[in-house]
């Protein structure tokens, strides 16, 4: 749907301001599937953002560190980074593909991160809005809950990780804490921290 308001980031990166503007932006809700309570972020990106830039936006908004393979599924088409040594006939290169072009009239897309841990994300188009002039980087409007640690072992590994760290008497507690390197709060979310990471993305 077309928004009746417009967005501009002024002052704090986490506080968009309502002003009269021109341009097109997409408000996207990114949610990690199969985990409750839901780990999610709501971000604003220019409609012309490329899929590689959207990949980095999702990583930094959610809190992933990167370094693993990923894939988009949009309108029945799979996009990613084809391996020339192991070509897949039904995988298109994401390079230079714009989100608005790939999305068309669709209202959602799927994003898979880390083929080992297999983190599935549902990305829904919440709103089409206008913005003023160039949008230097994406930004986050809202979110909740912390992203699982990298290489934790997917959903079953994450559930075990939370179980162990919830019980200081658990025989694996010290080893798990040492592996993670710090305490973990599954409900943690810092909007300003997320926007600081996003501000490093040049669109």
């Amino acid at each position: 749907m077309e928004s009746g308001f417009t967005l501009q980031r002024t002052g704090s990166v986490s506080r968009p301001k309502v002003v009269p503007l021109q341009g097109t932006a997409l408000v996207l809700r990114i949610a990690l599937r199969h985990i409750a309570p839901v780990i999610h972020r709501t971000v604003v990106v220019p409609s012309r953002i490329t899929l590689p830039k959207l990949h980095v936006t999702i990583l930094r908004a959610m809190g992933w560190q990167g370094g693993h393979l990923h894939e988009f599924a949009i309108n029945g088409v799979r996009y990613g980074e084809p391996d020339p040594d192991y070509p897949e006939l039904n995988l298109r290169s994401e390079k230079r593909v714009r989100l608005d072009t790939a999305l068309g009239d669709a209202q959602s897309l799927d994003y898979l991160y880390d083929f080992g841990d297999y983190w599935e994300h549902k990305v829904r188009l919440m709103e089409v809005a206008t913005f003023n002039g160039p949008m230097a980087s994406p930004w986050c409007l809202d979110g909740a809950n912390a992203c699982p640690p990298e290489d934790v072992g997917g959903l079953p590994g994450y559930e075990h990780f939370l179980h162990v760290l919830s019980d200081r008497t658990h025989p694996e507690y010290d080893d798990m804490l040492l592996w993670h390197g710090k305490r973990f709060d599954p409900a943690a979310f810092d909007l300003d921290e997320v926007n600081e990471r996003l501000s490093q993305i040049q669109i």
Side-chain angles (χ1 to χ4, degrees):
M1 59 183 171
E2 185 71 28
S3 172
F5 64 85
T6 53
L7 299 170
Q8 183 179 24
R9 186 172 50 187
T10 60
S12 170
V13 294
S14 65
R15 293 179 175 83
K17 183 180 179 181
V18 178
V19 292
L21 305 174
Q22 292 182 343
T24 304
L26 305 180
V27 181
L28 306 174
R29 186 180 189 272
I30 308 161
L32 190 57
R33 302 180 65 180
H34 312 305
I35 294 180
V38 178
I39 301 166
H40 68 90
R41 310 287 184 261
T42 300
V43 300
V44 181
V45 300
S47 62
R48 68 182 184 278
I49 191 172
T50 62
L51 295 188
K53 290 285 187 177
L54 180 60
H55 157 63
V56 178
T57 297
I58 295 174
L59 289 183
R60 296 190 179 177
M62 295 298 291
W64 300 118
Q65 299 302 307
H68 296 286
L69 294 173
H70 68 279
E71 182 178 294
F72 291 96
I74 311 173
N75 273 328
V77 180
R78 294 171 56 224
Y79 298 92
E81 299 176 307
D83 187 334
D85 296 325
Y86 302 96
E88 294 185 60
L89 295 179
N90 62 342
L91 179 68
R92 295 188 187 178
S93 172
E94 66 183 19
K95 191 176 182 180
R96 293 190 292 273
V97 177
R98 288 176 21 167
L99 176 58
D100 53 2
T101 301
L103 199 59
D105 294 330
Q107 299 296 302
S108 68
L109 61 95
D110 295 313
Y111 170 79
L112 174 63
Y113 172 65
D114 187 347
F115 293 177
D117 280 6
Y118 213 79
W119 297 113
E120 297 178 276
H121 304 69
K122 175 62 69 174
V123 182
R124 298 186 184 280
L125 175 61
M126 306 301 293
E127 194 167 355
V128 178
T130 52
F131 68 93
N132 186 23
M135 182 183 292
S137 62
W139 78 91
C140 184
L141 301 177
D142 189 24
N145 301 310
C147 186
E150 294 278 0
D151 303 315
V152 75
L155 182 58
Y158 182 54
E159 291 175 341
H160 180 67
F161 172 79
L162 293 179
H163 172 69
V164 170
L165 290 189
S166 68
D167 180 6
R168 290 175 177 271
T169 66
H170 195 286
E172 298 179 47
Y173 180 87
D174 290 338
D175 288 341
M176 191 69 79
L177 190 61
L178 181 64
W179 170 80
H180 183 53
K182 58 183 178 181
R183 300 197 180 278
F184 182 81
D185 178 6
F189 173 73
D190 187 324
L191 184 59
D192 286 330
E193 182 179 298
V194 171
N195 276 311
E196 179 61 33
R197 293 196 298 267
L198 291 177
S199 69
Q200 299 169 15
I201 302 173
Q202 298 301 310
I203 297 175

